[in-house]
Amino acid sequence: MAVYSMNQREKVIEVLDGDVKEVPKSFLFGMQAKIMMKFVNAYPEMTRKLDSVVWKILSKVPEKDREFLVFLYSQSLSFIHLSAKLGDAIVSYAAPASKYYDINISKKSYTDFFGRVNYVKDYIGWRDETKIPVKDEESLECFEWPTVDDRAALMLKVAKALYPKHFHIGMVTGPYEASHAIVGMVEFLTAIYENPSFVEKVLDGVTKLDVELVKVLGENGADAIIMGDDYGMQERAMFSEDVFSRLFEKRDKKIVKTAKRMGMYAFLHSCGNIEVLLHKIIKCGFDVIHPLQPGAMNTVEVIKKYADVFVPMTGIDVQAIPFMSVEETVKDVLKYINASSGRIIVAPTNAITNDANIENVIAAFRAPELYTT
């Protein structure tokens, strides 16, 4: 495996600005915990020595205790190291201060900054949808919003200190995902029609939080922000164009404008089939859209249609890769690179799943090296 070169940031910027000289090697959007452990143990050169030692120790922990520890560790420094060695860009999550944070090893659970309890099963985190912090306007008044200070960029600072030549992206949770995290997904979608004023208040609260997080990321040297807001399901958009325009468009624009004013690029992560919403989404000013999900939409045609509007970030189909051969994996990645004429950031469409074949993953990340104009 090749050790990273010294011009990763420049390679990404060339693609973003349209002067394509070389396709960025890749961007690791995520890996589930178990496959990360397998990957680092199989390819210790793809991380730092100390990280490899930690993974070796974790692999010896009894199975009943290993799962939660592996999950927690996979979300920290190891992800930064692996991202740096596999690709040209590193994503760092922005974490505000919150009274709700909690880790319970005995219950294999953790509580996030919105007060949502998450359990770990089969090395994957699952949010408990029965315990909702905010149920109505009265409980919203009592809800203690997370606060933002310089510590919110801690992981970004660590990543930049370790890998200063990489392109650094700070991640925030978008207005829709943050809102249904606080209120509950079913409850939030229902309230759009039954209690729109309540929905607007929640959205305003999370948008304000996102803007503050974006500012801190910019102040600490992020090259871009990526906003995670899934607007699609496997076969169709989550809601209508009218609902998107009424509730999300102006708020997304506010977050994007904040990033642009601070000299950062703006990326959107939005899973599922969002094709019907794309003409609305591009009005928000995003430079990059991820993942234009293969299997959910006609990704090749979308890449061609919007070639001059935004940069696609896609190519490694995490839903398909467990079932493909190495040759099929490489061919699939090259299909999307060719559709973009090289103006693409190659990335997994989501977190690479625990059932993926390691050799397929290696082949997918090496595929851009085979592209010729």
Side-chain angles (χ1 to χ4, degrees), residues 84-355:
K85 296 300 177 71
L86 277 175
D88 299 298
I90 301 172
V91 63
S92 301
Y93 290 88
S98 171
K99 76 167 192 175
Y100 300 111
Y101 282 127
D102 182 60
I103 293 175
N104 191 319
I105 295 178
S106 63
K107 292 183 178 180
K108 296 183 179 180
S109 71
Y110 66 94
T111 305
D112 63 27
F113 54 77
F114 286 132
R116 297 305 303 269
V117 179
N118 298 261
Y119 292 92
V120 176
K121 183 179 180 181
D122 298 328
Y123 294 88
I124 301 171
W126 299 92
R127 191 167 70 193
D128 185 348
E129 293 293 343
T130 66
K131 299 175 182 177
I132 300 168
V134 174
K135 297 181 180 180
D136 50 34
E137 296 193 25
E138 183 178 351
S139 55
L140 180 61
E141 290 293 325
C142 301
F143 180 68
E144 293 191 33
W145 288 92
T147 56
V148 179
D149 57 28
D150 198 51
R151 290 171 293 179
L154 175 61
M155 294 310 294
L156 171 66
K157 292 179 186 178
V158 171
K160 283 181 64 68
L162 291 171
Y163 301 101
K165 299 293 184 180
H166 279 66
F167 187 89
H168 289 275
I169 308 168
M171 187 166 193
V172 299
T173 303
Y176 171 54
E177 294 231 352
S179 293
H180 76 63
I182 297 170
V183 176
M185 179 177 282
V186 173
E187 291 79 2
F188 181 81
L189 292 173
T190 302
I192 287 176
Y193 299 98
E194 295 185 351
N195 195 353
S197 64
F198 171 59
V199 165
E200 296 273 357
K201 290 178 182 177
V202 177
L203 284 169
D204 285 342
V206 295
T207 301
K208 180 182 178 183
L209 177 64
D210 278 343
V211 167
E212 291 172 354
L213 287 170
V214 168
K215 288 178 181 177
V216 169
L217 290 167
E219 290 164 357
N220 283 278
D223 296 300
I225 61 107
I226 183 166
M227 189 185 81
D229 230 11
D230 290 340
Y231 300 138
M233 299 179 284
Q234 189 71 20
E235 296 181 349
R236 61 184 64 86
M238 188 75 72
F239 26 68
S240 68
E241 297 171 60
D242 175 67
V243 169
F244 180 83
S245 295
R246 179 162 49 89
L247 296 180
F248 305 111
E249 188 173 339
K250 63 183 178 182
R251 294 177 171 93
D252 288 4
K253 283 180 179 178
K254 188 173 184 178
I255 294 166
V256 170
K257 284 180 179 178
T258 302
K260 297 288 184 74
R261 280 199 301 268
M262 304 194 74
M264 294 182 286
Y265 296 95
F267 292 31
L268 172 69
H269 163 79
S270 194
C271 284
N273 187 337
I274 60 170
E275 193 165 355
V276 71
L277 299 177
L278 277 174
H279 71 289
K280 298 280 188 181
I281 290 171
I282 60 177
K283 292 180 181 178
C284 300
F286 291 103
D287 301 291
V288 177
I289 297 181
H290 173 263
L292 302 174
Q293 187 177 328
M297 55 197 292
N298 193 333
T299 304
V300 168
E301 293 305 313
V302 168
I303 288 173
K304 293 177 179 178
K305 179 178 179 180
Y306 292 100
D308 298 324
V309 182
F310 60 80
V311 175
M313 187 166 80
T314 188
I316 303 175
D317 185 353
V318 300
Q319 289 183 322
I321 200 171
F323 310 104
M324 294 192 292
S325 67
V326 167
E327 293 76 16
E328 289 170 332
T329 299
V330 171
K331 184 178 179 181
D332 199 52
V333 176
L334 289 174
K335 175 176 68 178
Y336 302 111
I337 299 176
N338 287 324
S340 72
S341 299
R343 191 168 184 242
I344 186 173
I345 298 173
V346 175
T349 51
N350 208 300
I352 298 169
T353 56
N354 289 328
D355 58 347

